[in-house]
Amino acid sequence: MKKIVLIVCVLTTVTVFAQKGNDAAKFASTITQKDLKEQLSIIASAEFEGRETATEGQKKAAAYIESQFKKFGLLPGNGNSYQQVYPVYQDELKSASLKIYNANFAFNNHFSLMLNNAINGNVNINEVVFVSYGISDKERDDYKGIDVKGKWVLIIESDPADIDKDSLSSNFRKTFTKIGTATSKGAAGILIISRQFENTKRFMPPSIGNMYMKKQGGNNSSAPIISVSYQAASSILTKPINKYADLKNISIGKYATQLNIDVHKTTKTLESSNVVGIIEGTDKKEEYVVLTAHYDHLGKRDDGTIYYGADDDGSGTVTIIEMAEAFAKAKQKGYAPRRTIVFMTVSGEEKGLWGSDYYTQHPIYPLNKTSVNLNTDMIGRIDPKYKGDSLNYIYSIGEDKLSSDLMPISDSINQTFKIEIDRKFNDLKDPNRFYYRSDHFNFAKNGVPIIFYFNGVHKDYHRPSDTIEKINFDVMEKRARFIFTTAWVMANRNDMLKRDIPLVIPER
Ligand SMILES: [Zn+2]
């Protein structure tokens, strides 16, 4: 009996899709290789200069995407605007000085700082806590019995094993772990004794810092971080340190000192945006299907090198543009979607998923009425490691999370598409952690079921060589049509996707 019921159910699902599927197929077929290529030749062109967030290139790309949404007859997605603008910040260093007792130490010769979380002003420090290598893990605890809360800590940059080596390279990952440890123990500031000052040919940090975004609710005031030479450390501790390796003989503990740091920096407010257009639904227009891709990429270097980002994520951007056109045509022919479809290309992805973070912190459409987010990031290439039919696959990520409706919908659509849906990246143990690495994750974090469509990485990933002539438009067309059909089914089904699976975020 049970079995029969099951078969009946499956048949009904298939029939329902077969009817709706025909309509979807008619409009899916308007997404063509030719159109995708035409669009991408503009998005990934030199004119848009690699589309770095908060630059001219990004703004040109945003204006172009907006012009396409308008042309298709989409309504503005943010009030009467097609853009959701958000602020981005960038610091510029004006001056920095360091005085230890009565001696001045030259900037960049004996100290440097992380501009974004540097103090702005004058600080006197009368005591530091020297915590040696600043390691606190299973094997070693340099903080044992020491409270550094509200105090400045002084840390040796390298590992006990590395200190006698001649190598001047510093391990950023280890350094960041140490910074994290000191911060979590409540240090007021962090002084790192670094070998970089021994290297006369070292990279000089620019006086303009990386862009950043202020987190809502956060105070952005992570502890200031200053790197100092071993000579400066010698003055701070009033101990003879004649070479870097001498540091290993200094004992852990509090040291009285006289240290004055004076920093002046200015903060510029820049702007970036998400481009948003909608097609209004009919009987369920207060519910939403949000389709996203990021249109920003890595920009242009000072030497003129452009990071075109044709696959990452020009491919997703043009898929959104083409899906918008196909849904708009359908509406004109009397096939308006039941739910409102939100077409959104976001920026700031490469900086840290900023645009989607801003959107989900300031949602234009309620997230609890957003049935699903389908995110497309890199669908124009072929993963050289793919084992099946490389001309007919897609990595689909996230279907086993948040909603048990996701997978059956994909599978039913795929009865006609017959694309290889590869779900291997759903494995929580997968070291790539793709589920957490593109814009859908900000929706998932807020409970919205998502599917992330992806082709895998390749040798041109995040290189200037990610260019249009390497795109496989035939494979991309099929993927784009599959995503379109999924959006179609989700926009037209009776119920919003149920949210019945809790999100698990594995520890690194
Ligand atoms: Zn990307």
Side-chain angles (χ1 to χ4, degrees):
M1 189 63 197
K2 236 176 179 175
K3 218 170 193 173
I4 294 166
V5 172
L6 191 73
I7 290 166
V8 171
C9 275
V10 169
L11 284 178
T12 329
T13 324
V14 174
T15 334
V16 167
F17 173 68
Q19 286 163 0
K20 296 243 167 95
N22 282 339
D23 299 336
K26 194 156 63 188
F27 296 101
S29 67
T30 68
I31 300 173
T32 61
Q33 296 185 45
K34 185 175 154 281
D35 287 0
L36 291 165
K37 192 172 184 175
E38 259 172 42
Q39 291 288 355
L40 193 58
S41 69
I42 297 167
I43 293 291
S45 67
E47 200 197 331
F48 292 172
E49 299 175 333
R51 314 181 299 278
E52 184 180 0
T53 296
T55 66
E56 269 316 297
Q58 171 257 311
K59 288 175 174 56
K60 280 184 202 166
Y64 174 74
I65 298 162
E66 174 174 339
S67 78
Q68 297 304 291
F69 285 178
K70 271 187 194 151
K71 190 174 102 184
F72 307 145
L74 267 60
L75 296 174
N78 185 24
N80 52 17
S81 171
Y82 287 89
Q83 297 197 37
Q84 181 185 40
V85 175
Y86 61 89
V88 165
Y89 303 91
Q90 193 165 38
D91 292 347
E92 185 174 3
L93 185 67
K94 296 294 178 187
S95 69
S97 68
L98 170 68
K99 199 167 166 184
I100 303 168
Y101 291 94
N102 284 320
N104 284 306
F105 286 79
F107 182 60
N108 276 342
N109 289 333
H110 285 284
F111 79 103
S112 65
L113 35 88
M114 275 194 199
L115 195 51
N116 288 355
N117 49 3
I119 27 168
N120 194 13
N122 193 292
V123 175
N124 271 312
I125 300 164
N126 300 315
E127 185 185 69
V128 296
V129 185
F130 177 70
V131 285
S132 184
Y133 300 93
I135 297 168
S136 182
D137 58 22
K138 279 184 227 116
E139 276 104 60
R140 180 184 170 114
D141 187 7
D142 292 329
Y143 288 87
K144 203 173 165 189
I146 294 178
D147 183 11
V148 298
K149 202 159 193 229
K151 308 215 179 287
W152 280 73
V153 294
L154 182 63
I155 300 171
I156 308 173
E157 181 180 57
S158 54
D159 254 9
D162 296 339
I163 196 159
D164 290 317
K165 288 184 190 158
D166 291 334
S167 161
L168 294 165
S169 69
S170 53
N171 183 326
F172 288 108
R173 185 187 277 268
K174 280 181 192 165
T175 305
F176 276 106
T177 306
K178 292 177 186 204
I179 290 169
T181 304
T183 308
S184 70
K185 292 183 184 292
I190 303 162
L191 296 156
I192 299 168
I193 310 165
S194 170
R195 298 193 75 161
Q196 61 166 304
F197 302 103
E198 291 173 42
N199 181 1
T200 49
K201 289 195 206 98
R202 71 183 177 278
F203 169 75
M204 292 289 181
S207 62
I208 294 178
N210 290 331
M211 290 176 201
Y212 58 95
M213 200 166 116
K214 286 181 186 161
K215 293 270 179 227
Q216 200 185 40
N219 58 8
N220 264 76
S221 60
S222 48
I225 299 155
I226 297 168
S227 296
V228 296
S229 65
Y230 72 81
Q231 293 93 335
S234 170
S235 298
I236 293 168
L237 299 167
T238 60
K239 296 268 178 203
I241 301 168
N242 297 312
K243 56 183 189 304
Y244 196 77
D246 290 347
L247 286 161
K248 64 184 172 188
N249 305 320
I250 310 282
S251 43
I252 288 174
K254 290 176 185 167
Y255 289 80
T257 189
Q258 275 183 34
L259 197 145
N260 182 274
I261 304 163
D262 194 77
V263 178
H264 290 277
K265 63 174 185 178
T266 54
T267 302
K268 256 195 300 191
T269 306
L270 309 170
E271 275 182 354
S272 192
S273 73
N274 301 323
V275 187
V276 204
I278 63 163
I279 290 181
E280 250 184 349
T282 52
D283 62 319
K284 293 180 183 293
K285 73 174 197 185
E286 306 295 321
E287 292 174 5
Y288 306 90
V289 167
V290 178
L291 309 180
T292 52
H294 71 92
Y295 71 98
D296 70 301
H297 192 54
L298 304 172
K300 188 171 138 182
R301 295 295 97 93
D302 287 342
D303 66 1
T305 307
I306 295 173
Y307 288 72
Y308 295 93
D311 189 29
D312 186 10
D313 183 23
S315 63
T317 302
V318 302
T319 299
I320 296 288
I321 293 174
E322 287 302 305
M323 288 197 293
E325 187 176 24
F327 272 112
K329 278 181 188 158
K331 182 163 182 170
Q332 281 155 16
K333 296 262 158 67
Y335 295 92
R338 297 178 69 190
R339 290 185 179 78
T340 296
I341 306 185
V342 180
F343 301 87
M344 178 161 68
T345 60
V346 299
S347 62
E349 195 271 354
E350 304 287 7
K351 306 278 185 194
L353 315 185
W354 290 354
S356 52
D357 183 31
Y358 188 84
Y359 177 86
T360 50
Q361 300 275 341
H362 307 84
I364 305 172
Y365 305 99
L367 296 173
N368 62 2
K369 290 284 169 197
T370 299
S371 182
V372 70
N373 166 233
L374 303 180
N375 184 45
T376 305
D377 191 354
M378 299 171 66
I379 59 155
R381 294 278 296 261
I382 290 162
D383 182 349
K385 292 199 192 102
Y386 187 69
K387 296 229 163 56
D389 179 357
S390 60
L391 296 177
N392 187 36
Y393 80 96
I394 192 162
Y395 293 130
S396 177
I397 305 176
E399 285 171 291
D400 62 338
K401 297 170 181 68
L402 294 165
S403 176
S404 61
D405 286 333
L406 292 165
M407 219 180 281
I409 294 173
S410 296
D411 286 339
S412 81
I413 292 166
N414 205 32
Q415 296 195 347
T416 25
F417 268 85
K418 304 201 183 333
I419 196 166
E420 291 179 13
I421 302 178
D422 188 325
R423 296 173 165 132
K424 71 170 175 227
F425 293 121
N426 282 330
D427 183 353
L428 289 177
K429 290 198 191 81
D430 186 88
N432 294 297
R433 296 173 65 90
F434 291 128
Y435 187 77
Y436 312 92
R437 282 173 54 184
S438 186
D439 296 295
H440 55 272
F441 183 57
N442 282 319
F443 287 88
K445 256 182 7 194
N446 287 287
V448 179
I450 68 98
I451 303 177
F452 167 31
Y453 300 101
F454 178 54
N455 55 230
V457 290
H458 41 76
K459 69 176 173 26
D460 302 304
Y461 174 69
H462 281 203
R463 299 222 164 132
S465 52
D466 177 5
T467 47
I468 188 167
E469 65 291 348
K470 290 169 191 142
I471 299 291
N472 300 86
F473 286 99
D474 47 352
V475 189
M476 185 175 159
E477 176 191 275
K478 188 162 186 186
R479 291 168 178 160
R481 289 177 179 182
F482 179 73
I483 300 163
F484 170 84
T485 308
T486 308
W488 180 287
V489 169
M490 289 179 175
N492 287 303
R493 71 202 295 273
N494 284 335
D495 299 312
M496 275 183 54
L497 300 191
K498 58 177 168 297
R499 302 179 177 195
D500 57 345
I501 305 173
L503 183 62
V504 179
I505 303 177
E507 284 195 29
R508 269 167 211 272

